[in-house]
């Protein structure tokens, strides 16, 4: 992109932040444009995106005016072309694939990912709570089963003790 020079990027960045603190000493030669863009993007991401989009619009407008490419079109059809992703043709048939949604920004994607991560954390926490409850219920069930079996054992023993006492009393009477 010939209009987006390192000088213009630095000039823009100087208006938004103190870019000189992050740049090497520039005496004769500017750093690589992609490196400068990376540094500026790190500092002021949204502003840089808007600046690049504006620069592209200006360049497109100049090309359209210079080559007389402007066409009068119905606004709805023009919007379809603006929103299209690709255009192709095959055997004189024209195909256009339309993007219904705009591209999401990095911040939007990050916030969606953070929301998903929080949701997953909540689900994991709920799963762990349920597992703890299941273990507790299982332990209570085991205790209940033991208590029931102990109760039966106690009642059996008391029945046997009662028989022994009766037998013992009977033997005492007979003697």
């Amino acid at each position: 992109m010939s209009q987006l020079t390192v000088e213009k990027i630095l000039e823009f960045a100087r208006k938004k932040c103190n870019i000189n603190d992050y740049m090497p000493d520039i005496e004769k030669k500017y750093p690589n444009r992609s490196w400068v863009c990376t540094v500026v993007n790190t500092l002021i991401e949204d502003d840089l995106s808007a600046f690049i989009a504006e620069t592209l619009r200006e360049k497109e407008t100049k090309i359209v005016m210079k080559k007389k490419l402007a066409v009068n079109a119905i606004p709805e059809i023009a919007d379809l072309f603006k929103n299209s992703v690709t255009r192709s043709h095959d055997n004189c048939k024209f195909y256009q694939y339309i993007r219904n949604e705009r591209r999401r920004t990095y911040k939007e994607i990050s916030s969606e990912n953070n929301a998903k991560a929080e949701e997953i954390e909540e689900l994991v926490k709920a799963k762990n709570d349920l597992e703890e409850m299941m273990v507790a219920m299982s332990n209570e069930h085991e205790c209940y089963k033991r208590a029931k079996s102990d109760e039966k054992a106690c009642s059996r023993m008391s029945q046997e003790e009662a028989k022994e006492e009766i037998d013992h009393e009977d033997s005492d009477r007979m003697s």
Side-chain angles (χ1 to χ4, degrees):
M1 193 184 316
S2 63
Q3 290 187 349
L4 196 58
T5 61
V6 174
E7 294 88 5
K8 286 188 178 182
I9 296 169
L10 289 174
E11 180 183 319
F12 164 77
R14 284 186 188 109
K15 293 176 186 175
K16 299 292 181 176
C17 68
N18 194 3
I19 191 70
N20 293 332
D21 291 345
Y22 304 94
M23 294 308 230
D25 292 332
I26 303 170
E27 293 176 10
K28 295 180 182 178
K29 187 177 177 184
Y30 284 110
N32 185 330
R33 180 172 61 181
S34 64
W35 184 84
V36 172
C37 284
T38 303
V39 172
V40 173
N41 188 49
T42 303
L43 297 172
I44 49 173
E45 179 181 340
D46 292 336
D47 294 335
L48 180 65
S49 299
F51 172 71
I52 291 173
E54 181 62 31
T55 306
L56 281 173
R57 265 188 250 113
E58 289 173 6
K59 182 178 179 181
E60 287 174 0
T61 304
K62 285 180 183 178
I63 291 172
V64 166
M65 294 304 179
K66 183 178 180 181
K67 295 186 177 185
K68 299 180 182 177
L69 297 174
V71 176
N72 290 333
I74 299 171
E76 291 83 12
I77 294 174
D79 287 340
L80 286 175
F81 277 103
K82 285 179 187 174
N83 292 332
S84 69
V85 176
T86 58
R87 297 176 185 99
S88 65
H89 59 84
D90 184 26
N91 294 332
C92 298
K93 292 182 180 177
F94 178 73
Y95 300 97
Q96 183 172 358
Y97 303 99
I98 298 175
R99 177 177 64 217
N100 291 332
E101 298 177 3
R102 65 173 179 76
R103 292 186 68 152
R104 297 176 296 162
T105 64
Y106 177 77
K107 285 185 179 178
E108 290 172 331
I109 293 170
S110 295
S111 66
E112 288 172 10
N113 289 342
N114 290 339
K116 287 179 185 177
E118 290 173 3
E119 185 178 335
I120 289 171
E121 284 180 22
E122 289 176 12
L123 290 173
V124 168
K125 189 176 180 181
K127 177 186 168 243
N128 292 339
D129 291 346
L130 284 173
E131 287 175 350
E132 288 176 10
M133 289 172 53
M134 292 292 290
V135 168
M137 288 176 62
S138 175
N139 290 341
E140 286 180 19
H141 183 69
E142 288 297 319
C143 290
Y144 176 76
K145 283 173 48 178
R146 271 193 237 118
K148 279 292 191 184
S149 65
D150 289 348
E151 187 179 295
K152 287 180 185 176
C154 288
S155 66
R156 274 192 224 123
M157 287 181 64
S158 59
Q159 286 175 357
E160 289 174 8
E161 288 173 1
K163 282 183 186 178
E164 285 179 15
E165 283 182 31
I166 293 172
D167 290 341
H168 186 59
E169 289 175 7
D170 287 341
S171 63
D172 284 344
R173 280 188 212 152
M174 290 194 168
S175 33

